[in-house]
């Protein structure tokens, strides 16, 4: 396998992975390409590298920025933006934790309308499990930062 094949496999795997989080595969592919790059790149460069339209790349970049996985760098005197990946795993885990916290809030709100104590206990057990997951991840992130 060549280096280009390895890069393509990684980009595809990132697309599939973020797709499993209900993000567009294109967003994952763009993120994979950004992670492999040595610095900021233009939307045109990303599109050319991935065989995507500038519009598709732009939508993917907006999604990555909203998740805190990429940042845009305005170019003075131009509407052109450069894009780069940021922090990677820590940002991805932090975003996952935020979604999991929202899930826990929904579980806890469901406990109020549960049909009896067994259902209420089941909802509480699931909520506690996911809270434990987030707490463990938060401890790992704090330890990594020190």
């Amino acid at each position: 396998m060549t280096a280009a094949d390895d890069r393509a496999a990684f980009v595809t795997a990132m697309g599939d992975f973020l797709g499993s989080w209900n993000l567009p595969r294109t967003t994952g592919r763009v993120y994979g390409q950004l992670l492999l790059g040595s610095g900021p790149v233009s939307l045109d460069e990303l599109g050319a590298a991935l065989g995507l339209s500038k519009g598709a790349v732009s939508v993917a970049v907006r999604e990555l920025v909203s998740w805190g996985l990429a940042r845009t760098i305005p170019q003075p005197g131009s509407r052109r933006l450069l894009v780069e990946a940021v922090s990677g795993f820590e940002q991805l885990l932090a975003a996952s934790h935020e979604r999991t916290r929202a899930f826990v809030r929904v579980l806890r709100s469901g406990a109020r309308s549960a049909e009896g104590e067994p259902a209420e206990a089941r909802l509480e057990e699931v909520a506690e499990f996911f809270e434990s997951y987030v707490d463990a991840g938060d401890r790992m992130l704090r330890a990594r930062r020190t």
Side-chain angles (χ1 to χ4, degrees), residues 19-124:
S20 74
W21 285 25
N22 294 323
L23 288 169
R25 283 187 74 248
T26 299
T27 300
R29 292 182 65 227
V30 168
Y31 185 51
Q33 186 70 27
L34 289 172
L35 286 172
L36 292 175
S38 61
V41 295
S42 71
L43 299 182
D44 291 328
E45 291 169 315
L46 281 170
L50 297 169
L52 298 170
S53 71
K54 189 173 180 178
V57 171
S58 179
V59 169
V61 166
R62 278 196 302 273
E63 187 78 32
L64 291 170
V65 168
S66 76
W67 274 71
L69 298 174
R71 72 179 186 107
T72 57
I73 305 163
Q75 298 304 288
S78 171
R79 291 180 37 198
R80 236 176 110 155
L81 296 173
L82 297 181
V83 184
E84 68 180 350
V86 295
S87 297
F89 179 73
E90 289 181 18
Q91 289 293 343
L92 194 57
L93 190 56
S96 171
H97 287 177
E98 200 49 49
R99 285 184 171 219
T100 303
R101 286 183 187 98
F103 180 56
V104 167
R105 287 191 296 274
V106 170
L107 289 167
R108 295 212 185 279
S109 73
R112 292 190 298 267
S113 23
E115 294 179 3
E117 196 170 307
E120 187 176 340
R122 183 176 48 247
L123 285 163
E124 182 61 30

